[in-house]
């Protein structure tokens, strides 16, 4: 019989009971749901995205610092069912700014977004906590409220004479075309390809002709330099990671010259990155296909690890080794990078 994987006689085919699902049934947790930025969880209620246990979880929390790329963080307010309600938003601290202090949710207006920010960062220091309360009121249900813990942290001051990218939300995210310095060697330099790649653009070395088909030793070729200022490291360990997103391309040259570039932090040794693995003859690398493969994503992430990193000014250098390498984006993780398709938005750039 269809769907029967056993060879023995099927004894009975019985259609299960069919129940009517009420489209207007209220949710047990209440009329309102809130979803803070950066989480898949919804409060109130119990689910696996709120905490490891999936139940009995505490209130959600959000974080902000002076150099977060957008300067604020949002909380989405939506319905827990078909019942219309009004809501009010209040804060326990005067330094918190709210884009809205009240609103309404109904079938014709199913959600609202409230942005949380800081009124004056110069008046704060260190870690500052506030409770932001969302309170819902409806005509047929009791009043309910959900608290959001708002953490505003000021790590320190950037020197007045610093020019470059500044860590925000635990990351330094850089579009490769926005280098601090572009150093040429033997008439070869990095050049932007506008509109190429997944975000802003790409960069590759030019000119591209037989006269300039040169292979460089790590640390000797054309280079891109990026000045950045960091405050933290991963779990305060002194370690950071740097992911350079590179366009997938075959190692089409000689076997002794696979596609590669090098990454260097400050005066450390350059780390060579052969980002495209050598597949068996007549085959493709294991990571080539699939839903999360090189082709589907359009990039390969080449990861470098650095230790003993202290807060302050740093310079990241990207060195050319072989031609035909196309870079797209750089993400330095100081402890705040979370999984996402395009990576964090570009960090604040002080010019």
């Amino acid at each position: 019989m269809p769907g029967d994987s056993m060879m023995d006689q099927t004894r009975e085919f019985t259609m299960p009971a069919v129940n009517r699902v009420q489209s207007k049934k209220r949710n047990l947790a209440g009329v309102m749901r809130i979803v803070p930025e950066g989480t898949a969880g919804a409060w109130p209620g119990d689910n696996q995205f709120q905490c490891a246990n999936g139940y009995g979880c505490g209130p959600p929390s959000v974080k902000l610092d002076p150099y977060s790329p957008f300067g604020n963080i949002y909380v989405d307010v939506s319905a827990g069912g078909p019942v219309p309600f009004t809501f009010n938003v209040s804060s326990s601290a005067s330094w918190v700014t709210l884009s809205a202090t009240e609103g309404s949710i109904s079938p014709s207006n199913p959600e609202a977004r409230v942005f949380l920010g800081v009124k004056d960062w110069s008046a704060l220091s260190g870690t500052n906590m506030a409770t932001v309360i969302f309170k819902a009121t409806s005509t047929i249900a009791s009043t309910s409220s959900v608290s959001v813990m708002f953490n505003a942290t000021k790590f320190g001051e950037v020197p007045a004479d610093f020019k470059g990218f500044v860590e925000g939300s635990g990351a330094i995210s850089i579009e490769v075309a926005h280098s601090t310095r572009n150093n040429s060697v033997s008439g070869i330099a990095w050049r932007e390809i506008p509109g190429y790649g997944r975000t802003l653009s790409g960069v590759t070395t030019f000119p591209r002709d037989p006269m300039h088909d040169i292979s460089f030793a790590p640390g000797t070729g054309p280079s891109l330099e990026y000045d950045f200022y960091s405050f933290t490291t991963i779990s305060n360990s002194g370690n950071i990671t740097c992911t350079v997103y590179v366009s997938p391309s075959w190692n089409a040259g000689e076997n002794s010259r696979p596609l590669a570039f090098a990454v260097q932090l400050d005066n450390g040794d350059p780390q060579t990155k052969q980002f495209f693995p050598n597949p068996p003859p007549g085959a493709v690398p294991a990571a080539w296909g699939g839903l999360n493969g090189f082709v589907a994503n359009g990039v390969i992430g080449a990861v470098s690890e650095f230790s003993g990193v202290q807060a302050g000014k740093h310079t990241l250098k990207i060195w050319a080794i072989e031609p035909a390498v196309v870079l797209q984006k750089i993400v330095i993780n100081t402890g705040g990078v979370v999984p996402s398709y395009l990576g964090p938005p570009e960090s604040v750039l002080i010019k």
Side-chain angles (χ1 to χ4, degrees):
M1 301 297 292
D4 189 353
S5 62
M6 303 297 292
M7 294 298 294
D8 57 339
Q9 177 73 27
T10 301
R11 294 179 176 84
E12 184 178 9
F13 285 96
T14 303
M15 183 176 179
V18 178
N19 297 312
R20 178 177 177 271
V21 178
Q22 297 184 25
S23 61
K24 296 185 177 181
K25 188 174 182 180
R26 285 183 293 164
N27 193 290
L28 293 175
V31 297
M32 179 179 67
R33 289 291 179 280
I34 66 162
V35 180
E37 181 179 354
T39 177
W43 284 259
D46 295 325
N47 66 70
Q48 70 272 28
F49 299 109
Q50 294 177 343
C51 64
N53 289 333
Y55 62 89
C57 305
S61 62
V62 293
K63 297 179 180 180
L64 192 67
D65 63 66
Y67 295 99
S68 295
F70 294 120
N72 53 39
I73 195 162
Y74 65 78
V75 177
D76 284 335
V77 183
S78 60
V83 179
F85 65 91
T86 60
F87 67 90
N88 295 286
V89 190
S90 61
S91 171
S92 64
S94 60
W95 51 263
V96 176
T97 61
L98 303 170
S99 64
T101 56
E102 59 183 20
S104 62
I105 300 295
S106 65
S108 61
N109 184 41
E111 63 182 13
R113 177 165 288 182
V114 179
F115 292 91
L116 315 183
V118 172
K119 186 180 300 182
D120 181 8
W121 280 105
S122 66
L124 301 182
S125 62
T127 300
N128 306 267
M129 296 294 298
T131 302
V132 179
I133 301 174
F134 292 77
K135 182 179 292 185
T137 304
S138 70
T139 57
I140 62 174
S142 59
T143 300
S144 62
S145 63
V146 182
S147 297
V148 176
M149 308 308 296
F150 184 18
N151 179 335
T153 302
K154 187 175 181 181
F155 293 105
E157 300 288 347
V158 175
D161 60 347
F162 173 77
K163 307 295 181 184
F165 292 92
V166 182
E167 175 192 340
S169 301
I172 301 100
S173 179
I174 303 171
E175 296 290 350
V176 288
H178 296 160
S179 60
T180 309
R181 289 168 293 277
N182 186 340
N183 307 305
S184 63
V185 175
S186 301
I188 303 174
W190 294 92
R191 185 187 302 175
E192 182 180 13
I193 308 174
Y196 179 90
R198 302 201 305 179
T199 50
L200 178 68
S201 62
V203 298
T204 190
T205 51
F206 279 97
R208 191 74 56 75
D209 57 53
M211 293 293 295
H212 296 88
D213 184 18
I214 302 173
S215 179
F216 295 95
T220 65
S223 64
L224 295 168
E225 299 186 19
Y226 303 88
D227 292 340
F228 69 91
Y229 199 95
S230 65
F231 300 103
T232 61
T233 57
I234 299 172
S235 300
N236 297 317
S237 62
N239 300 327
I240 64 173
T241 63
C242 173
T243 302
V244 180
Y245 291 96
V246 194
S247 297
S249 184
W250 290 93
N251 295 320
E254 300 138 13
N255 292 336
S256 60
R257 294 181 58 182
L259 294 178
F261 63 97
V263 181
Q264 179 182 0
L265 181 65
D266 298 331
N267 295 320
D269 295 331
Q271 299 183 21
T272 299
K273 297 297 167 184
Q274 180 187 338
F275 54 92
F276 195 90
N278 291 320
V284 297
W288 177 257
L291 296 178
N292 198 37
F294 296 164
V295 175
N297 287 332
V299 292
I300 301 174
V303 180
S304 302
E305 298 179 352
F306 301 100
S307 60
V309 180
Q310 297 181 348
K313 178 184 175 181
H314 300 279
T315 299
L316 183 77
K317 300 177 183 179
I318 307 293
W319 296 93
I321 294 179
E322 293 291 340
V325 173
V326 184
L327 314 177
Q328 294 188 26
K329 188 181 179 79
I330 300 168
V331 176
I332 300 172
N333 183 15
T334 59
V337 174
V338 295
S340 63
Y341 185 70
L342 296 177
E346 189 169 36
S347 298
V348 171
L349 174 59
I350 300 177
K351 298 181 179 180

